[in-house]
Amino acid sequence: MNEKEQKILDTSLVLFVEKGFHGTSTAEIAKTAGVATGTLFHYFKTKEELIDRLYIYTKENILEEVEGDYDNNKALKDNVKSLWLKFVCLGLKEPYKFNFIMTFHCSPYITSFTKGRIEDKFVELLKVYKKGFNDNQIKEMYDELLMDCFWGNILNTIMHFEKNPEKMNNKNIDLSFELFWDGISR
Amino acid sequence: MNEKEQKILDTSLVLFVEKGFHGTSTAEIAKTAGVATGTLFHYFKTKEELIDRLYIYTKENILEEVEGDYDNNKALKDNVKSLWLKFVCLGLKEPYKFNFIMTFHCSPYITSFTKGRIEDKFVELLKVYKKGFNDNQIKEMYDELLMDCFWGNILNTIMHFEKNPEKMNNKNIDLSFELFWDGISR
DNA sequence: TACTAAATCGACTAATCAGTCTAATGAATT
DNA sequence: AATTCATTAGACTGATTAGTCGATTTAGTA
């Protein structure tokens, strides 16, 4: 990807999170990224295309870094914790990326086509864990609830330690996972 | 409160949730509410004052409806569930109000003075439950984590059933609470 | 070197924005 | 009837917005 195009995306991520979609003007994005407005519109036909591509770019980026590493020799709990931890650590390392996805996940600016394209990859990542879930180690519940529980707890944990950085240590992160695990396990 | 003033607040709530603060023009608010822009600015000096007062109005409204009813004769779990259920039911009944508070809670448009004024009332509501939490029925953890866990689970539950209305029944709502309770209890 | 196409620029535009201003109401009091 | 003042209206304004356009530079190729 082109260097200026990249710079525009990186700049937009920060500004959209800090000031919202409509709160950030294309002029400000261009200026902060160090390019002319003409250049911005050369790479992104409209402001909507910009946020749409930023959404894809950011979410793919997150999913790439959090590749699954399911290990059949380990207990289900350990496998789930390993994945949970990867998400949480990434969220704490890259708060803007996570914040952006959270904020704009339900937003009308992101086309539903884009949302669906990305959702599929996430389902794929979790498929391997589903086998483990089906052998009675966890409570009986439908997939969507389990998924929202998992994802909700991750986002909640990230937000909590973002808000209380002085509380962030291994003990409390482990405790946060137990809060999730003891909830879903039988 | 004046009828037109009320109408402006009600309209703003919906539009701000659907289109964001900057995404909604004062002209659109006025038009949708059926008043002139002059009238809007008569009651609210600026657009910022409008959202600030809308925030107070909405959150006070929520807290009023969810009055605590701690009962010393009941088990802690039942007391917590009763409060949890009140929040969840209200959130499902008034999704816009909850969505608004969620979206704008971290927003720079709401003055920190306003945020603090409201936060205090929430702490007050939960004070009576803290006594129960301290007698070893739940895991050892600090207040902020417990609070975020409680609140996070409520928001997660509301969002889940908003997204999957066909799954909303007493069995699944009870299950959602168990997911929270079994997580925090010893 | 000469040609071509993509990249880059920033002045420009039509539309829209938050907020103002003046005038016209309506209700209450004297 | 005359006076007063809060309420309501919508045309208006200066500033800002997303997006355009034609000129210039850069990079690649023959």
Side-chain angles (χ1 to χ4, degrees):
Chain A
M1 193 188 299
N2 181 293
E3 186 204 329
K4 304 222 168 193
E5 196 178 351
Q6 179 81 51
K7 198 77 210 292
I8 291 167
L9 287 175
D10 292 344
T11 306
S12 303
L13 178 75
V14 175
L15 291 177
F16 283 153
V17 168
E18 283 177 358
K19 315 171 83 170
F21 179 62
H22 289 287
T24 309
S25 70
T26 50
E28 187 182 2
I29 296 170
K31 196 182 167 190
T32 310
V35 304
T37 62
T39 307
L40 188 153
F41 283 99
H42 172 74
Y43 287 108
F44 308 92
K45 258 181 284 224
T46 64
K47 197 183 178 185
E48 300 235 341
E49 189 191 311
L50 169 58
I51 200 173
D52 215 59
R53 278 175 48 199
L54 179 58
Y55 186 84
I56 296 176
Y57 170 73
T58 306
K59 200 142 183 183
E60 277 185 346
N61 206 265
I62 288 176
L63 285 176
E64 254 168 50
E65 283 209 49
V66 188
E67 257 181 82
D69 56 351
Y70 196 93
D71 182 349
N72 279 306
N73 300 320
K74 286 200 293 183
L76 176 64
K77 182 178 176 180
D78 292 329
N79 273 312
V80 173
K81 182 166 183 178
S82 165
L83 183 66
W84 182 92
L85 210 52
K86 274 192 176 185
F87 273 116
V88 169
C89 288
L90 183 62
L92 290 168
K93 206 180 70 188
E94 305 268 19
Y96 277 90
K97 288 186 185 171
F98 260 73
N99 232 309
F100 175 75
I101 296 296
M102 266 191 282
T103 308
F104 291 94
H105 177 245
C106 296
S107 126
Y109 318 129
I110 316 288
T111 64
S112 52
F113 173 74
T114 296
K115 282 176 195 163
R117 203 160 86 92
I118 286 296
E119 217 60 48
D120 295 345
K121 293 202 180 185
F122 190 59
V123 171
E124 187 66 32
L125 169 71
L126 292 169
K127 204 174 273 174
V128 68
Y129 293 84
K130 249 197 83 175
K131 281 180 292 178
F133 287 141
N134 286 338
D135 65 359
N136 283 345
Q137 289 186 56
I138 64 157
K139 292 198 178 84
E140 196 188 315
M141 69 182 101
Y142 51 100
D143 290 353
E144 292 91 341
L145 182 58
L146 179 58
M147 195 95 326
D148 282 349
C149 217
F150 178 70
W151 195 237
N153 182 274
I154 286 169
L155 295 181
N156 204 40
T157 302
I158 292 167
M159 280 196 285
H160 174 76
F161 288 121
E162 254 183 59
K163 209 171 60 186
N164 306 279
E166 79 282 1
K167 302 282 187 185
M168 192 169 69
N169 53 49
N170 284 338
K171 189 186 141 212
N172 286 334
I173 290 178
D174 285 347
L175 175 58
S176 294
F177 178 74
E178 297 297 324
L179 256 28
F180 163 65
W181 183 260
D182 289 352
I184 65 164
S185 67
R186 281 178 194 266
Chain B
M1 194 188 302
N2 183 293
E3 187 204 327
K4 304 223 170 192
E5 196 178 351
Q6 179 81 50
K7 197 80 210 294
I8 291 167
L9 286 175
D10 291 344
T11 306
S12 303
L13 177 76
V14 175
L15 292 176
F16 283 152
V17 168
E18 282 176 358
K19 317 170 83 171
F21 179 63
H22 289 286
T24 309
S25 70
T26 50
E28 189 181 1
I29 295 170
K31 196 181 167 191
T32 310
V35 302
T37 62
T39 307
L40 190 152
F41 282 101
H42 172 74
Y43 288 108
F44 307 93
K45 260 184 282 236
T46 64
K47 196 182 178 185
E48 301 235 341
E49 190 192 310
L50 169 58
I51 200 173
D52 215 58
R53 278 177 44 200
L54 179 59
Y55 185 84
I56 295 176
Y57 171 72
T58 306
K59 201 145 184 183
E60 278 184 345
N61 207 263
I62 288 176
L63 285 177
E64 255 168 49
E65 284 211 49
V66 188
E67 257 180 82
D69 55 352
Y70 195 94
D71 180 351
N72 279 305
N73 300 320
K74 287 201 293 183
L76 176 65
K77 182 178 176 180
D78 294 328
N79 272 312
V80 172
K81 183 167 183 179
S82 165
L83 183 68
W84 182 91
L85 210 53
K86 274 192 175 187
F87 273 115
V88 168
C89 288
L90 183 63
L92 290 167
K93 204 180 71 188
E94 305 269 20
Y96 277 91
K97 287 185 186 171
F98 259 72
N99 232 308
F100 175 76
I101 296 295
M102 265 191 283
T103 308
F104 290 94
H105 177 244
C106 297
S107 124
Y109 317 129
I110 317 288
T111 63
S112 51
F113 172 72
T114 296
K115 281 177 196 162
R117 203 159 87 93
I118 286 295
E119 215 60 49
D120 294 345
K121 293 202 181 184
F122 190 60
V123 171
E124 188 66 31
L125 169 70
L126 291 169
K127 203 174 273 175
V128 68
Y129 293 84
K130 251 195 83 177
K131 280 182 292 178
F133 287 142
N134 285 338
D135 65 358
N136 283 343
Q137 290 186 54
I138 65 159
K139 292 198 179 83
E140 195 187 316
M141 70 182 100
Y142 50 101
D143 290 352
E144 292 90 341
L145 183 58
L146 179 58
M147 194 95 326
D148 282 349
C149 219
F150 178 70
W151 194 238
N153 183 274
I154 286 170
L155 295 180
N156 204 42
T157 302
I158 293 168
M159 280 195 284
H160 174 75
F161 288 120
E162 256 183 59
K163 209 170 61 186
N164 306 280
E166 80 282 1
K167 301 282 188 186
M168 193 167 68
N169 54 49
N170 284 339
K171 190 186 141 212
N172 285 335
I173 290 178
D174 285 347
L175 175 58
S176 293
F177 178 74
E178 296 298 324
L179 256 29
F180 163 65
W181 182 260
D182 289 352
I184 65 164
S185 66
R186 280 178 195 264

